[in-house]
Amino acid sequence: MGATKIPVYFMPGMAASSGIFKNIELDKERFEMHLLEWFVPEYGITFEAYANQMCMQIKHERPVLIGVSLGGMLVQEMAKLIETKKVIIISSVKQKSELPKRLIFAKYTKIHKLLPTGLVNNVELLVKYAFGVPIKNRLKLYEQYLAVRDKYYIDWCIDKIVHWNQSSYDPNLIHIHGDNDVVFPIQYIKDCHIVPKGTHTMIIHRYKWFNERLPTIILE
């Protein structure tokens, strides 16, 4: 019998579908890819409880968890609940000190609650929130990756980002970040693999970089 394949679970960012990973390719002889999807949270549910519900979709022991943006924060919470082989976050943060000042400001002023998230059917607005790209910049491209357009879900996600209180992280965590990320600027990020000219959406546009390096990162 051959060696058991390594299960790798991918979690997309806020409001995005697993379609953002459509160009990610791993050797099928060595890895088994599984795609996770966001679901609308129950009213009042904590981020930790949501992570626990997402863990129920993990069908393998000691999986590799890979999360993008808010998905990166979520897989870190999941890793507190299940044993993992490795956790990799992309275009994300690993502790509250890496959040940009505008989000820290929002936490204390609650200004984020004034955001017009009720306009979830306004695709331009949702693309700006979910992907951090300028309005009308490749709008049709990003629209295809939007999965959840529920007002409560968007409000909940923004609130969980603003109030994420993690102050330390697993030293074995792998963080991959672009030096041109406008959502989580690189100047606040510590201890990461830097992708030159990588933006917040680099998992879509720089998939070749990931296809070349992810296998080694997972196995090392």
Side-chain angles (χ1 to χ4, degrees):
M1 294 181 61
T4 303
K5 296 180 183 179
I6 298 173
V8 184
Y9 284 78
F10 290 82
M11 184 75 220
M14 184 184 82
S17 73
S18 62
I20 65 171
F21 303 114
K22 70 177 184 179
N23 291 317
I24 299 299
E25 298 178 352
L26 297 176
D27 183 355
K28 294 180 180 179
E29 296 297 318
R30 307 174 77 181
F31 306 99
E32 189 174 311
M33 292 180 60
H34 301 273
L35 305 177
L36 298 171
E37 303 284 0
W38 291 100
F39 54 87
V40 177
E42 302 164 11
Y43 184 78
I45 193 173
T46 65
F47 201 38
E48 294 76 14
Y50 190 95
N52 187 57
Q53 290 186 7
M54 190 63 74
C55 282
M56 296 178 185
Q57 298 187 35
I58 304 297
K59 306 302 181 183
H60 300 81
E61 295 183 356
R62 300 189 72 244
V64 173
L65 300 181
I66 298 179
V68 174
S69 193
L70 178 59
M73 298 161 74
L74 181 64
V75 297
Q76 291 176 75
E77 295 297 332
M78 293 168 66
K80 298 173 184 177
L81 302 170
I82 61 173
E83 186 178 357
T84 59
K85 177 180 177 64
K86 185 161 290 187
V87 177
I88 301 170
I89 64 172
I90 300 167
S91 307
S92 187
V93 296
K94 53 190 177 294
Q95 55 188 0
K96 61 182 180 181
S97 63
E98 294 183 331
L99 291 171
K101 287 180 170 52
R102 68 178 183 278
L103 290 182
I104 296 173
F105 176 77
K107 175 180 179 180
Y108 292 105
T109 63
K110 300 189 184 304
I111 195 171
H112 63 290
K113 293 185 179 296
L114 301 178
L115 293 172
T117 53
L119 300 175
V120 291
N121 290 320
N122 182 329
V123 177
E124 293 181 5
L125 181 66
L126 190 53
V127 163
K128 184 177 181 180
Y129 283 172
F131 299 108
V133 295
I135 291 177
K136 294 188 181 302
N137 181 11
R138 298 186 179 183
L139 182 61
K140 291 298 182 182
L141 170 65
Y142 292 109
E143 183 179 2
Q144 68 178 306
Y145 297 119
L146 292 175
V148 188
R149 303 187 186 186
D150 179 88
K151 171 177 166 45
Y152 177 71
Y153 164 80
I154 299 297
D155 287 339
W156 182 87
C157 286
I158 294 172
D159 188 69
K160 298 315 170 197
I161 294 172
V162 169
H163 288 95
W164 199 50
N165 283 319
Q166 181 161 288
S167 58
S168 62
Y169 58 92
D170 188 326
N172 295 317
L173 177 75
I174 303 297
H175 189 171
I176 303 173
H177 211 84
D179 63 6
N180 197 28
D181 191 313
V182 297
V183 176
F184 299 125
I186 190 67
Q187 61 259 40
Y188 301 112
I189 306 299
K190 309 296 182 184
D191 303 322
C192 68
H193 294 266
I194 296 178
V195 180
K197 299 182 181 179
T199 66
H200 196 65
T201 57
M202 63 184 181
I203 192 66
I204 298 172
H205 304 296
R206 299 293 301 278
Y207 64 88
K208 291 181 180 179
W209 188 98
F210 289 95
N211 287 343
E212 291 172 358
R213 293 168 176 81
L214 268 183
T216 299
I217 291 173
I218 291 172
L219 293 171
E220 64 183 10

